[in-house]
Amino acid sequence: MNAFQQFFFDLSEEHPRWNFIFFYDPVQTERVLSGLWMTIQLSVVCVILSVLIGLVGAWLQGAHSRLVRAVVQGYIQFFRNTPPLIQLLFFYFALGQFTPTYSPDGWLEVPIISNVGWAIISLSFFAGAFNVEIFRAGIEAVPESTREAAESLGMNRLQAFIYVVFPLAFRVSLPALNNNLVNLVKTTTQALAIAVPELLYQMVSIYNDYSTAQNACMVVLFVVYIGLVGILVTGMNAWERAARVPGYGQ
Amino acid sequence: MPANSWTPDQPIVAIHDLHKSFGALEVLKGVSLEVMKGEVICIIGPSGSGKSTLIRCINALNPVDSGSILVEGQEVNDPAVDKLALRKKVGMVFQQYNLFPHKTALQNVMMAPLKVLKQPRGEVEKRARALLTRVNLEGKEDSYPGELSGGQQQRVAIARSLAMNPDVMLFDEVTAALDPETVKEVLVAIKDLAQSGMTCILVTHEMGFAREVADHIYFTDRGVIVEHGPPATFFTESSDPRTREFLSQIL
Ligand SMILES: Nc1ncnc2c1ncn2[C@@H]1O[C@H](COP(=O)(O)OP(=O)(O)O)[C@@H](O)[C@H]1O
Ligand SMILES: [Mg+2]
């Protein structure tokens, strides 16, 4: 045992309520790290997918077809007005029944979408619904006359959107997007309910096995989420600053 | 008239019996006018008489109800109109400049040639810099619109439009939002353009300027062209009472 491990081992001997077991027991360390890694992957993938869903949804909301707009609106209402935990359970247990399975070893039947897969799908659509609204508000803030100027220069609707409307809308949307992505990162903990081995899942398993580790697990959970959200917010703020244009906005 | 039969001796813009309503409000009630290549025409008239609507119809920003607009022989009043082909021929400058606020002056000018015409960057940049110099904005290439005065922004807008190499330029009260000190610098840029042979259709309240640069002046009121003529006779010999009243107010 090195000095660091020794310190936490001694601490747990002296104060049994503060058993930071994962700081001296390599097996538990491994569980925490794998949980953290899963949380990071889940967060990054869901952030990216939810932003893409937001973009596509906001674009489709400007479509000519009333049907397309109604479908997008229905999607938003469904995901915004129901709890994400129920969405996760629904995707995994209800939809999961109908997805095809395959058999890698000839014995076990494995569904092609794993619980991690369902968590990604469900959480991305959940946060994506808010992102559609956030981007749409940004798009509505871009004056019609600016879009017309782009059109009068020969741009079609897509070009005007990509080069003019969206870059301006995005700047307006950034603060609200920032909030929603923070929420998304925190909501990834609910994947616990479908046994995705992310950080909360691992921590709960650890203190189920070692009840003296409960307080320590809580502390580490708070610290890790403060850190993760801190990184996200710092990144978003840097982006906001980099996107700031002299004489535009505040 | 098929598009390819147009020759430069025919009107470059020919509008015939144009009607346009917004809901129940009929804004254009049968407007006809013709512009020859290289001509500068000014449209004047009271606010709300349909001047903006008329020139917005020319580049298909407003769909029309009936009548015909031919630009180099291409019919604009056609649901299947090739808007890109039309807008390559017709440039437009707006009262509120409508620059892209997230792009520098140079990037504003370069955007359409790069993204729409897909021309090579080096060539586009060279032309864009030359255009900015032409409108007296040397040194402002890297400024954002928010860092420029109204007059400077409007000149960037003119350069941006010219970067597409249009054959006809539309100007909709482009000095109306400007401080009096900066009006002149924009008028100078337009005059330079007009004298270089660009076909220009201008909506303006600057009568002195209209008198100086226009080949022909049209007076509109309540959706019709009341009277028109070359400036020499228009300002002194106009006969319609509506024209006389408008001129007495504005001159
Ligand atoms: N998009 C629109 N929708 C409804 N009414 C409009 C629209 N654009 C212009 N109008 C109306 O059409 C009339 C003519 O407007 P406009 O062409 O802007 O006049 P001008 O440029 O001569 O001042 C005005 O009464 C105006 O309110
Ligand atoms: Mg007007």
Side-chain angles (χ1 to χ4, degrees):
Chain A
M1 249 187 226
N2 62 32
F4 178 84
Q5 293 170 322
Q6 192 65 51
F7 173 83
F8 284 103
F9 181 76
D10 294 345
L11 183 70
S12 70
E13 298 280 281
E14 283 163 46
H15 305 280
R17 284 168 190 276
W18 294 100
N19 182 9
F20 288 84
I21 188 166
F22 33 78
F23 286 157
Y24 60 82
D25 176 350
V27 177
Q28 311 311 321
T29 311
E30 185 47 44
R31 285 166 91 174
V32 173
L33 289 179
S34 80
L36 179 61
W37 179 229
M38 177 57 81
T39 290
I40 291 172
Q41 286 176 297
L42 207 54
S43 299
V44 170
V45 173
C46 290
V47 161
I48 292 170
L49 286 180
S50 75
V51 169
L52 290 179
I53 291 169
L55 283 178
V56 173
W59 164 256
L60 289 179
Q61 272 193 329
H64 286 299
S65 156
R66 207 173 273 180
L67 179 70
V68 171
R69 293 202 305 263
V71 168
V72 177
Q73 201 50 37
Y75 154 66
I76 292 169
Q77 293 304 330
F78 179 81
F79 279 89
R80 210 185 46 179
N81 301 349
T82 59
L85 182 55
I86 300 179
Q87 293 164 15
L88 271 163
L89 296 174
F90 170 77
F91 270 84
Y92 181 59
F93 291 111
L95 294 187
Q97 295 170 26
F98 303 106
T99 50
T101 56
Y102 71 105
S103 188
D105 53 7
W107 292 91
L108 223 61
E109 285 292 312
V110 185
I112 52 169
I113 302 179
S114 65
N115 56 347
V116 177
W118 283 118
I120 288 172
I121 293 171
S122 151
L123 290 168
S124 299
F125 275 104
F126 163 68
F130 289 84
N131 286 347
V132 175
E133 296 272 81
I134 288 167
F135 288 145
R136 199 201 43 185
I139 288 167
E140 279 170 6
V142 177
E144 175 69 8
S145 56
T146 306
R147 211 181 48 73
E148 275 185 350
E151 247 188 76
S152 76
L153 288 165
M155 292 188 210
N156 59 32
R157 198 169 99 83
L158 184 62
Q159 288 168 327
F161 186 81
I162 293 174
Y163 301 121
V164 178
V165 177
F166 190 72
L168 293 170
F170 191 66
R171 287 170 168 83
V172 178
S173 305
L174 265 174
L177 181 67
N178 199 342
N179 278 338
N180 189 39
L181 296 184
V182 165
N183 256 327
L184 171 60
V185 169
K186 294 187 294 186
T187 309
T188 58
T189 50
Q190 300 191 359
L192 162 81
I194 58 172
V196 171
E198 45 72 65
L199 188 63
L200 180 60
Y201 177 96
Q202 297 290 10
M203 287 305 204
V204 171
S205 322
I206 290 173
Y207 73 66
N208 282 339
D209 296 347
Y210 307 90
S211 60
T212 53
Q214 181 182 302
N215 294 352
C217 286
M218 303 287 183
V219 170
V220 168
L221 277 168
F222 278 126
V223 170
V224 167
Y225 276 96
I226 288 170
L228 284 181
V229 169
I231 291 169
L232 176 68
V233 169
T234 308
M236 294 290 286
N237 287 347
W239 201 0
E240 222 171 298
R241 243 173 292 120
R244 199 163 292 163
V245 168
Y248 180 70
Q250 62 286 64
Chain B
M1 180 164 58
N4 56 11
S5 72
W6 181 77
T7 53
D9 57 317
Q10 294 166 328
I12 190 163
V13 176
I15 299 175
H16 182 69
D17 197 25
L18 192 65
H19 289 260
K20 166 74 185 169
S21 300
F22 290 108
L25 178 71
E26 190 173 21
V27 176
L28 300 178
K29 303 168 184 163
V31 171
S32 301
L33 61 81
E34 289 186 351
V35 186
M36 299 303 292
K37 190 168 168 52
E39 252 188 340
V40 176
I41 72 152
C42 285
I43 302 170
I44 63 173
S47 171
S49 61
K51 306 179 299 294
S52 297
T53 305
L54 174 61
I55 70 168
R56 288 164 55 87
C57 288
I58 298 174
N59 76 344
L61 278 180
N62 282 344
V64 305
D65 301 330
S66 70
S68 156
I69 305 173
L70 294 175
V71 177
E72 293 183 1
Q74 181 188 4
E75 179 55 76
V76 178
N77 182 18
D78 171 359
V81 61
D82 179 350
K83 284 192 182 163
L84 176 56
L86 175 68
R87 286 166 182 165
K88 279 199 250 178
K89 292 186 284 210
V90 183
M92 174 137 182
V93 183
F94 301 85
Q95 180 172 338
Q96 295 294 344
Y97 344 123
N98 301 345
L99 291 178
F100 307 135
H102 60 305
K103 296 288 177 187
T104 64
L106 185 67
Q107 290 168 337
N108 263 275
V109 178
M110 290 173 63
M111 188 188 283
L114 282 180
K115 305 299 184 191
V116 178
L117 304 180
K118 314 241 187 300
Q119 292 171 343
R121 177 172 287 273
E123 193 180 289
V124 169
E125 182 172 338
K126 213 172 116 203
R127 209 170 68 230
R129 287 184 185 279
L131 282 168
L132 285 173
T133 304
R134 180 170 173 192
V135 294
N136 278 315
L137 284 173
E138 220 169 345
K140 295 292 179 189
E141 290 84 354
D142 298 325
S143 301
Y144 285 90
E147 301 172 306
L148 298 172
S149 73
Q152 291 170 332
Q153 289 190 58
Q154 195 57 292
R155 283 179 286 149
V156 174
I158 293 171
R160 178 178 70 173
S161 203
L162 290 175
M164 292 292 280
N165 270 325
D167 298 333
V168 181
M169 286 285 287
L170 309 174
F171 296 88
D172 188 5
E173 296 198 39
V174 294
T175 56
L178 299 179
D179 297 331
E181 315 89 77
T182 59
V183 167
K184 187 149 180 274
E185 62 195 39
V186 173
L187 294 182
V188 165
I190 298 174
K191 191 175 149 193
D192 163 68
L193 192 62
Q195 286 171 347
S196 76
M198 175 68 76
T199 310
C200 296
I201 301 177
L202 295 123
V203 174
T204 184
H205 282 138
E206 303 285 335
M207 290 306 138
F209 179 73
R211 191 193 290 249
E212 194 183 335
V213 301
D215 296 305
H216 212 84
I217 294 180
Y218 288 81
F219 173 69
T220 61
D221 189 26
R222 281 171 238 155
V224 294
I225 291 173
V226 177
E227 210 164 346
H228 63 94
T233 56
F234 179 84
F235 286 103
T236 50
E237 295 166 25
S238 52
S239 53
D240 193 283
R242 281 179 287 179
T243 321
R244 303 206 66 81
E245 196 199 329
F246 178 76
L247 289 177
S248 73
Q249 281 169 4
I250 208 154
L251 287 176

